[in-house]
Amino acid sequence: MYDVAILGAGAAGLMCAARLNECSSLKVCVIEGNARAGAKIRISGGGKCNVTHVDVDASHYFGDANLVDEVLARFDNAALLAWLQARGCRPVLKKGRYYFCPRSAAELVEIFEKQMRGIRFFYNRTIVSARREAGNFVVETSYETFRSKRLVVATGGASFSSLGATDIGLRIAEGFGIETVPFRPALAGLTLQKDQFWMKSLSGVSLPVRISVGTKVLQEDMLFAHRGISGPAVLSASLYWEKGEIEIDFLCGRSLDALLAGGGKKLLSTALPLPRRFVRCFLDVLGIDDMPCSKIGRFERTKLEALQAYRFAPAGTFGFSKAEVSKGGVACSQLHAPSCESRRVAGLYFVGEVVDVTGELGGYNFQWAFASGRDAADAIARSQL
Ligand code: FDA
């Protein structure tokens, strides 16, 4: 019998275990399907793990703002960076906003492994189910049965099944009668309908854009890809997109009139501060010649407005196999804040991506996973076992 069983050795489960080890003497086990911990951490951020962002608040998350605020208030980006620095890892700032591990993502997993001396890890165990029996939790795995007084579900989302992802967290919640929202791919590229297939011919071209999805506006780089559109701006936009139109401002708020006025005799493809390959292709789509700015008439001027507000409906996303995260999960309304303990089942906690909270691209999802894992650990350490 364990005091606490943690399901999943990803970011949330590892932080929860590390914190319990640090602030309690509880008997804790971590159960994981992979042969080692932190599979997603290791490959994240191109192998350098984007741990957090300079600007972290609920406005960058899709999910219940109160829960997000309360969880992050107890372990924000500054607290995470301080925690890492105290353990010899000083994340470096990139593009003035993203914090990455200085050497490799593996060093982050090593930091966690060093914090775990008192914790028992069980790898290569597929978690099959969890139930309550005589006041305790019983977890069935492919190998053996575990019993614990508290249960932390940190099994993540459903994207990247090649790294061990499953929807077991949702099934466990549903088994306890807890409301869930189906997982959907997020932080994924968007596929195109026929009218936008011209974008595929630009595969490899990247440019900064401003994308609007409903009331949400995201400014970052966009990448034209063979399958559709991708890059940081599109991945974050996919978080807020279900279906319907999005709008792309290829000029990122710059005035078209000012750009054309300053162009003089220069051709559009030279005067516009955009990749030439993109401009030529876009002009083709608009049915306009690549002409000197000084010769542009009302007809061309009207058509060129599409550069500032190109509206179209994507066909779908690149799917779970390419999505960095899953939106959906255990409904926020079912959890206490900030502990993430179930309102329905005392002693049962859901942390990390398995909760219906999903961040934009840029370190927001690790920040959420670490903060929620830690808040649950603090609540468990304070509770009477
Ligand atoms: P996580 O998925 O990390 O852990 C869940 C664990 O549970 C896994 O180890 C899994 O094997 C285990 N598990 C699941 N089902 C099981 C079962 N049935 N039996 C046994 N074990 C089971 N975020 C960010 O902030 N910055 C970044 O740079 C990136 N980069 C990035 C790149 C790529 C390619 C991906 C796929 C994702 C990212 N992310 C990211 C997202 C980030 O990785 C993700 O949000 C967190 O890992 C979520 O942490 P969790 O601990 O909640 O789940």
Side-chain angles (χ1 to χ4, degrees), residues 154-174:
T155 47
S159 51
F160 269 71
S161 57
S162 55
L163 296 175
T166 71
D167 67 353
I168 186 68
L170 286 200
R171 285 188 280 125
I172 289 175
E174 284 157 9

PDB file of all heavy atoms in Angstrom, residues 154-174:
ATOM      1  N   ALA A 154      -1.658  11.683 -13.969  1.00  0.00           N
ATOM      2  CA  ALA A 154      -0.797  12.616 -14.730  1.00  0.00           C
ATOM      3  C   ALA A 154      -0.434  11.941 -16.045  1.00  0.00           C
ATOM      4  O   ALA A 154       0.730  11.933 -16.455  1.00  0.00           O
ATOM      5  CB  ALA A 154       0.443  12.948 -13.913  1.00  0.00           C
ATOM      6  N   THR A 155      -1.435  11.376 -16.698  1.00  0.00           N
ATOM      7  CA  THR A 155      -1.180  10.554 -17.890  1.00  0.00           C
ATOM      8  C   THR A 155      -1.241  11.356 -19.188  1.00  0.00           C
ATOM      9  O   THR A 155      -1.194  10.765 -20.273  1.00  0.00           O
ATOM     10  CB  THR A 155      -2.185   9.381 -17.958  1.00  0.00           C
ATOM     11  OG1 THR A 155      -3.491   9.894 -17.710  1.00  0.00           O
ATOM     12  CG2 THR A 155      -1.863   8.312 -16.940  1.00  0.00           C
ATOM     13  N   GLY A 156      -1.329  12.682 -19.107  1.00  0.00           N
ATOM     14  CA  GLY A 156      -1.223  13.517 -20.294  1.00  0.00           C
ATOM     15  C   GLY A 156      -2.381  13.387 -21.267  1.00  0.00           C
ATOM     16  O   GLY A 156      -3.454  12.870 -20.945  1.00  0.00           O
ATOM     17  N   GLY A 157      -2.130  13.875 -22.497  1.00  0.00           N
ATOM     18  CA  GLY A 157      -3.151  13.858 -23.540  1.00  0.00           C
ATOM     19  C   GLY A 157      -2.941  12.701 -24.500  1.00  0.00           C
ATOM     20  O   GLY A 157      -2.153  11.793 -24.220  1.00  0.00           O
ATOM     21  N   ALA A 158      -3.640  12.774 -25.639  1.00  0.00           N
ATOM     22  CA  ALA A 158      -3.621  11.629 -26.558  1.00  0.00           C
ATOM     23  C   ALA A 158      -2.698  11.828 -27.752  1.00  0.00           C
ATOM     24  O   ALA A 158      -2.568  10.941 -28.581  1.00  0.00           O
ATOM     25  CB  ALA A 158      -5.040  11.373 -27.052  1.00  0.00           C
ATOM     26  N   SER A 159      -2.039  12.988 -27.843  1.00  0.00           N
ATOM     27  CA  SER A 159      -1.209  13.192 -29.035  1.00  0.00           C
ATOM     28  C   SER A 159       0.158  12.538 -28.880  1.00  0.00           C
ATOM     29  O   SER A 159       0.678  12.408 -27.774  1.00  0.00           O
ATOM     30  CB  SER A 159      -1.054  14.687 -29.322  1.00  0.00           C
ATOM     31  OG  SER A 159      -0.646  15.358 -28.181  1.00  0.00           O
ATOM     32  N   PHE A 160       0.729  12.119 -29.986  1.00  0.00           N
ATOM     33  CA  PHE A 160       2.028  11.440 -30.030  1.00  0.00           C
ATOM     34  C   PHE A 160       1.975  10.093 -29.305  1.00  0.00           C
ATOM     35  O   PHE A 160       2.714   9.850 -28.348  1.00  0.00           O
ATOM     36  CB  PHE A 160       3.133  12.332 -29.425  1.00  0.00           C
ATOM     37  CG  PHE A 160       3.817  13.195 -30.447  1.00  0.00           C
ATOM     38  CD1 PHE A 160       3.148  14.262 -31.027  1.00  0.00           C
ATOM     39  CD2 PHE A 160       5.117  12.946 -30.855  1.00  0.00           C
ATOM     40  CE1 PHE A 160       3.761  15.064 -31.985  1.00  0.00           C
ATOM     41  CE2 PHE A 160       5.734  13.731 -31.820  1.00  0.00           C
ATOM     42  CZ  PHE A 160       5.064  14.801 -32.378  1.00  0.00           C
ATOM     43  N   SER A 161       1.106   9.211 -29.791  1.00  0.00           N
ATOM     44  CA  SER A 161       1.010   7.884 -29.168  1.00  0.00           C
ATOM     45  C   SER A 161       2.343   7.139 -29.278  1.00  0.00           C
ATOM     46  O   SER A 161       2.652   6.258 -28.490  1.00  0.00           O
ATOM     47  CB  SER A 161      -0.109   7.071 -29.812  1.00  0.00           C
ATOM     48  OG  SER A 161       0.116   6.959 -31.195  1.00  0.00           O
ATOM     49  N   SER A 162       3.185   7.555 -30.243  1.00  0.00           N
ATOM     50  CA  SER A 162       4.503   6.920 -30.390  1.00  0.00           C
ATOM     51  C   SER A 162       5.359   7.146 -29.139  1.00  0.00           C
ATOM     52  O   SER A 162       6.315   6.419 -28.900  1.00  0.00           O
ATOM     53  CB  SER A 162       5.224   7.489 -31.609  1.00  0.00           C
ATOM     54  OG  SER A 162       5.282   8.900 -31.504  1.00  0.00           O
ATOM     55  N   LEU A 163       4.992   8.155 -28.330  1.00  0.00           N
ATOM     56  CA  LEU A 163       5.746   8.430 -27.099  1.00  0.00           C
ATOM     57  C   LEU A 163       5.012   7.902 -25.869  1.00  0.00           C
ATOM     58  O   LEU A 163       5.328   8.268 -24.742  1.00  0.00           O
ATOM     59  CB  LEU A 163       5.980   9.941 -26.945  1.00  0.00           C
ATOM     60  CG  LEU A 163       6.860  10.576 -28.031  1.00  0.00           C
ATOM     61  CD1 LEU A 163       6.909  12.088 -27.843  1.00  0.00           C
ATOM     62  CD2 LEU A 163       8.271  10.002 -27.987  1.00  0.00           C
ATOM     63  N   GLY A 164       4.006   7.083 -26.070  1.00  0.00           N
ATOM     64  CA  GLY A 164       3.316   6.458 -24.941  1.00  0.00           C
ATOM     65  C   GLY A 164       1.990   7.101 -24.582  1.00  0.00           C
ATOM     66  O   GLY A 164       1.334   6.672 -23.631  1.00  0.00           O
ATOM     67  N   ALA A 165       1.583   8.135 -25.348  1.00  0.00           N
ATOM     68  CA  ALA A 165       0.342   8.836 -25.000  1.00  0.00           C
ATOM     69  C   ALA A 165      -0.885   7.939 -25.206  1.00  0.00           C
ATOM     70  O   ALA A 165      -0.967   7.214 -26.197  1.00  0.00           O
ATOM     71  CB  ALA A 165       0.206  10.091 -25.851  1.00  0.00           C
ATOM     72  N   THR A 166      -1.805   8.000 -24.241  1.00  0.00           N
ATOM     73  CA  THR A 166      -3.083   7.279 -24.356  1.00  0.00           C
ATOM     74  C   THR A 166      -4.178   8.159 -23.747  1.00  0.00           C
ATOM     75  O   THR A 166      -3.886   9.183 -23.123  1.00  0.00           O
ATOM     76  CB  THR A 166      -3.079   5.939 -23.568  1.00  0.00           C
ATOM     77  OG1 THR A 166      -3.110   6.234 -22.165  1.00  0.00           O
ATOM     78  CG2 THR A 166      -1.867   5.083 -23.880  1.00  0.00           C
ATOM     79  N   ASP A 167      -5.417   7.716 -23.903  1.00  0.00           N
ATOM     80  CA  ASP A 167      -6.521   8.479 -23.300  1.00  0.00           C
ATOM     81  C   ASP A 167      -6.956   7.858 -21.969  1.00  0.00           C
ATOM     82  O   ASP A 167      -8.075   8.102 -21.500  1.00  0.00           O
ATOM     83  CB  ASP A 167      -7.702   8.562 -24.269  1.00  0.00           C
ATOM     84  CG  ASP A 167      -8.344   7.195 -24.509  1.00  0.00           C
ATOM     85  OD1 ASP A 167      -7.798   6.173 -24.032  1.00  0.00           O
ATOM     86  OD2 ASP A 167      -9.398   7.151 -25.157  1.00  0.00           O
ATOM     87  N   ILE A 168      -6.042   7.119 -21.328  1.00  0.00           N
ATOM     88  CA  ILE A 168      -6.426   6.431 -20.093  1.00  0.00           C
ATOM     89  C   ILE A 168      -6.909   7.411 -19.008  1.00  0.00           C
ATOM     90  O   ILE A 168      -7.801   7.083 -18.226  1.00  0.00           O
ATOM     91  CB  ILE A 168      -5.264   5.546 -19.552  1.00  0.00           C
ATOM     92  CG1 ILE A 168      -5.704   4.708 -18.348  1.00  0.00           C
ATOM     93  CG2 ILE A 168      -4.049   6.368 -19.178  1.00  0.00           C
ATOM     94  CD1 ILE A 168      -6.698   3.648 -18.657  1.00  0.00           C
ATOM     95  N   GLY A 169      -6.333   8.600 -18.996  1.00  0.00           N
ATOM     96  CA  GLY A 169      -6.739   9.599 -17.983  1.00  0.00           C
ATOM     97  C   GLY A 169      -8.219   9.923 -18.085  1.00  0.00           C
ATOM     98  O   GLY A 169      -8.924  10.020 -17.072  1.00  0.00           O
ATOM     99  N   LEU A 170      -8.689  10.076 -19.319  1.00  0.00           N
ATOM    100  CA  LEU A 170     -10.115  10.373 -19.520  1.00  0.00           C
ATOM    101  C   LEU A 170     -10.963   9.181 -19.097  1.00  0.00           C
ATOM    102  O   LEU A 170     -12.012   9.339 -18.479  1.00  0.00           O
ATOM    103  CB  LEU A 170     -10.404  10.689 -20.988  1.00  0.00           C
ATOM    104  CG  LEU A 170      -9.960  12.033 -21.529  1.00  0.00           C
ATOM    105  CD1 LEU A 170     -10.728  12.385 -22.788  1.00  0.00           C
ATOM    106  CD2 LEU A 170     -10.158  13.114 -20.495  1.00  0.00           C
ATOM    107  N   ARG A 171     -10.483   7.987 -19.442  1.00  0.00           N
ATOM    108  CA  ARG A 171     -11.280   6.800 -19.103  1.00  0.00           C
ATOM    109  C   ARG A 171     -11.341   6.593 -17.589  1.00  0.00           C
ATOM    110  O   ARG A 171     -12.377   6.198 -17.052  1.00  0.00           O
ATOM    111  CB  ARG A 171     -10.725   5.565 -19.836  1.00  0.00           C
ATOM    112  CG  ARG A 171     -11.115   5.624 -21.335  1.00  0.00           C
ATOM    113  CD  ARG A 171     -10.782   4.360 -22.065  1.00  0.00           C
ATOM    114  NE  ARG A 171      -9.380   4.307 -22.429  1.00  0.00           N
ATOM    115  CZ  ARG A 171      -8.555   3.310 -22.109  1.00  0.00           C
ATOM    116  NH1 ARG A 171      -8.993   2.292 -21.395  1.00  0.00           N
ATOM    117  NH2 ARG A 171      -7.305   3.339 -22.496  1.00  0.00           N
ATOM    118  N   ILE A 172     -10.239   6.894 -16.904  1.00  0.00           N
ATOM    119  CA  ILE A 172     -10.252   6.780 -15.440  1.00  0.00           C
ATOM    120  C   ILE A 172     -11.264   7.784 -14.865  1.00  0.00           C
ATOM    121  O   ILE A 172     -12.097   7.448 -14.026  1.00  0.00           O
ATOM    122  CB  ILE A 172      -8.838   7.013 -14.854  1.00  0.00           C
ATOM    123  CG1 ILE A 172      -7.936   5.824 -15.205  1.00  0.00           C
ATOM    124  CG2 ILE A 172      -8.898   7.238 -13.340  1.00  0.00           C
ATOM    125  CD1 ILE A 172      -6.477   5.974 -14.805  1.00  0.00           C
ATOM    126  N   ALA A 173     -11.191   9.028 -15.367  1.00  0.00           N
ATOM    127  CA  ALA A 173     -12.123  10.061 -14.874  1.00  0.00           C
ATOM    128  C   ALA A 173     -13.563   9.610 -15.106  1.00  0.00           C
ATOM    129  O   ALA A 173     -14.405   9.670 -14.194  1.00  0.00           O
ATOM    130  CB  ALA A 173     -11.846  11.382 -15.569  1.00  0.00           C
ATOM    131  N   GLU A 174     -13.841   9.160 -16.307  1.00  0.00           N
ATOM    132  CA  GLU A 174     -15.215   8.760 -16.643  1.00  0.00           C
ATOM    133  C   GLU A 174     -15.679   7.599 -15.769  1.00  0.00           C
ATOM    134  O   GLU A 174     -16.834   7.542 -15.344  1.00  0.00           O
ATOM    135  CB  GLU A 174     -15.315   8.413 -18.137  1.00  0.00           C
ATOM    136  CG  GLU A 174     -15.318   9.691 -18.995  1.00  0.00           C
ATOM    137  CD  GLU A 174     -14.875   9.474 -20.434  1.00  0.00           C
ATOM    138  OE1 GLU A 174     -14.713   8.298 -20.836  1.00  0.00           O
ATOM    139  OE2 GLU A 174     -14.686  10.479 -21.139  1.00  0.00           O
TER     140      GLU A 174
END
